[in-house]
Amino acid sequence: MNTIARSRWLIPGLLILALAACSSAPKKPGGSTASSSKPSGAVVQGKGGRPAHCPDGSPYKAAAEDPSTRGDYRAGGLYKPGVNDSTPTYIPNVACIPEPDVVDLPRSPIGNKSPYVVLGKQYQVMDKTRGYAEKGTASYYGAKFHGRLTSNREVYDMYAFTAAHKTLPLPSFARVTNLDNGESVIVRVNDRGPFHDGRVVDLSYAAAVRLGITQRGTGNVEVRALAPGDDNLLADKPSRRERREVAAAAAAATTGSAAAARRASDMDALVGKLPAATPTAAAAKPAGEQYRYRVADSAKPGNADNFDHWMRDNGVRVATGKPATTQAASVNSAPVAVAALPAAAPAARPAPAPSATLSQQVLGSVLLQVASFASRDNATRALGQLSSAGIAGASISDIVSGGRTLWRLRVPAPDHASASELAGRIAGLGFGAPQIVKD
């Protein structure tokens, strides 16, 4: 076999082995130039339907091949083994990255050689994937491989939901579920790896963020092959994390209700200890006797001070012995002329109902909803990103929807013209176009 023929046979093998080095967590943050052009976004870890503010398709430009990533192989098919992998300096808005559609695809002419050998170990590509499920450790790879050709000559994009697997056909589809928090994501399998014992899948950076394994670098997962028509194309809702959040919110509500009930009970007990009301002495006396001071009937000694108090309490004047028709002045006060009293102010008319809602009066006439989050921490982090970008006045409010507590991130604008300019700034941060909302 001549040299050219041998080279043709070597190319598929080299492509299969391209990502054998993807076995350790990338460094955070990274200084890769490939990631510097991506816009900032909020951390949202979840699944299901995408938020309404997400644009059509992905908010991130699809990766193109970076010719500088060609070559640099070492013995065993490792790519740049002396260069550390890295991740972007920000976390992508994975809530707006669409999951791939599970469709029937022909196998790639490259990357499906079977069997193949890497680092002295032989692997057999599956003939059929239906029913395949495996649990183990997931790792992920990032900016070092961004723009590099995968084993079937697709372009690795760390902002897409893809994965590398040792034996699933290329391309194919799988659902990867984090067994520690219940989060899951559908990925397109288009690469080979990870070639480490115990590791079952290498995730793209976006998929790792979605599953919440980037902090530890690895995660305990299940990989389950998917095919069109399978009944597990939609993830179970809610996830274990979401169920914990709902349970915590319900517990807090129950605790608050119990505390309120205790406060009400305490108030009832306090009111119950008050003495029963007794009829006034004046009402119990015969007609004509209610204004007569009887020393024998007085509960206090009959002295001048008590007599003065009795007159003031009963509105009696010494000059007439009849009830006073005006407010009695204190004993030590000079008589007050009625003419000197200020004129009564006219009754205030009820204020007309405001035309704007309370939120509009306080926050402005236009309210932009940036996003809704299942996690308060994620909402707070997104709020910090707005503040860092000079967007002031943003606030977080919670709402219960479908039995779940969601946190809404909103920004006020004084008018529609300002709202349009503000919406453009927010979209430029990777949140997508915000919506004008009404309370």
Side-chain angles (χ1 to χ4, degrees):
M1 185 181 295
N2 58 33
T3 304
I4 296 176
R6 285 197 302 271
S7 299
R8 289 176 180 172
W9 284 104
L10 286 174
I11 289 174
L14 291 175
L15 291 170
I16 288 174
L17 305 181
L19 293 181
C22 306
S23 57
S24 59
K27 303 295 182 181
K28 306 185 286 288
S32 171
T33 57
S35 63
S36 60
S37 63
K38 293 292 181 178
S40 165
V43 181
V44 183
Q45 296 175 8
K47 57 181 179 293
R50 297 194 301 158
H53 69 270
C54 294
D56 292 336
S58 175
Y60 304 102
K61 183 179 179 180
E65 184 192 1
D66 181 2
S68 67
T69 61
R70 296 176 182 175
D72 291 308
Y73 289 100
R74 297 294 183 271
L78 302 179
Y79 171 63
K80 292 185 178 179
V83 178
N84 289 329
D85 198 358
S86 62
T87 60
T89 56
Y90 57 88
I91 300 177
N93 185 0
V94 295
C96 288
I97 297 176
E99 292 181 326
D101 293 329
V102 179
V103 295
D104 280 321
L105 294 176
R107 298 194 180 196
S108 302
I110 297 176
N112 286 300
K113 180 184 177 181
S114 183
Y116 69 94
V117 178
V118 173
L119 301 177
K121 188 171 182 179
Q122 180 173 291
Y123 300 92
Q124 185 81 34
V125 177
M126 300 179 197
D127 292 328
K128 297 181 180 179
T129 63
R130 188 172 297 277
Y132 165 77
E134 184 178 5
K135 295 179 180 179
T137 301
S139 50
Y140 69 97
Y141 53 124
K144 174 180 174 181
F145 299 88
H146 188 70
R148 181 175 176 78
L149 294 180
T150 64
S151 296
N152 69 341
R153 299 193 66 81
E154 294 181 13
V155 178
Y156 170 68
D157 188 343
M158 63 179 172
Y159 299 100
F161 294 142
T162 63
H165 193 273
K166 293 185 285 289
T167 58
L168 282 172
L170 306 183
S172 60
F173 301 92
R175 175 173 295 285
V176 183
T177 301
N178 185 336
L179 298 177
D180 294 327
N181 62 16
E183 295 293 338
S184 69
V185 64
I186 294 176
V187 295
R188 179 187 178 100
V189 181
N190 64 356
D191 212 349
R192 290 294 176 217
F195 297 105
H196 265 240
D197 291 338
R199 297 193 182 180
V200 297
V201 69
D202 236 353
L203 300 169
S204 65
Y205 176 60
V209 172
R210 176 77 170 261
L211 296 184
I213 70 171
T214 55
Q215 295 300 317
R216 293 172 51 190
T218 59
N220 182 31
V221 302
E222 178 191 71
V223 180
R224 185 174 294 273
L226 296 179
D230 284 352
D231 58 2
N232 64 342
L233 294 183
L234 294 178
D236 292 335
K237 294 287 286 181
S239 69
R240 190 180 307 170
R241 176 182 59 80
E242 291 166 339
R243 290 197 297 269
R244 286 199 303 266
E245 291 176 352
V246 170
T254 302
T255 302
S257 300
R262 285 195 300 271
R263 288 194 296 270
S265 178
D266 292 343
M267 181 60 69
D268 290 338
L270 181 62
V271 172
K273 293 179 180 179
L274 294 176
T278 57
T280 60
K285 294 179 181 179
E289 295 290 319
Q290 62 265 37
Y291 301 116
R292 177 172 295 178
Y293 179 71
R294 296 177 179 272
V295 176
D297 294 343
S298 176
K300 297 180 180 180
N303 55 36
D305 290 335
N306 290 335
F307 180 67
D308 290 340
H309 286 301
W310 177 86
M311 286 198 303
R312 184 173 66 251
D313 293 341
N314 291 273
V316 176
R317 288 185 177 183
V318 176
T320 63
K322 296 180 180 180
T325 56
T326 60
Q327 182 179 359
S330 63
V331 174
N332 297 326
S333 301
V336 178
V338 174
L341 294 175
R349 295 180 180 179
S355 58
T357 66
L358 179 60
S359 294
Q360 289 172 332
Q361 295 179 55
V362 175
L363 299 177
S365 59
V366 181
L367 199 58
L368 297 176
Q369 180 156 311
V370 180
S372 295
F373 301 87
S375 166
R376 177 60 188 261
D377 291 340
N378 293 338
T380 302
R381 192 177 303 180
L383 176 64
Q385 291 179 333
L386 292 181
S387 299
S388 300
I391 299 176
S395 62
I396 297 174
S397 61
D398 62 286
I399 185 174
V400 177
S401 176
R404 302 168 49 209
T405 300
L406 301 176
W407 284 267
R408 304 175 300 186
L409 177 59
R410 295 180 169 186
V411 181
D415 50 51
H416 282 274
S418 301
S420 178
E421 185 271 338
L422 184 59
R425 292 176 59 193
I426 293 172
L429 295 175
F431 289 98
Q435 293 181 312
I436 296 179
V437 295
K438 295 181 180 179
D439 275 340

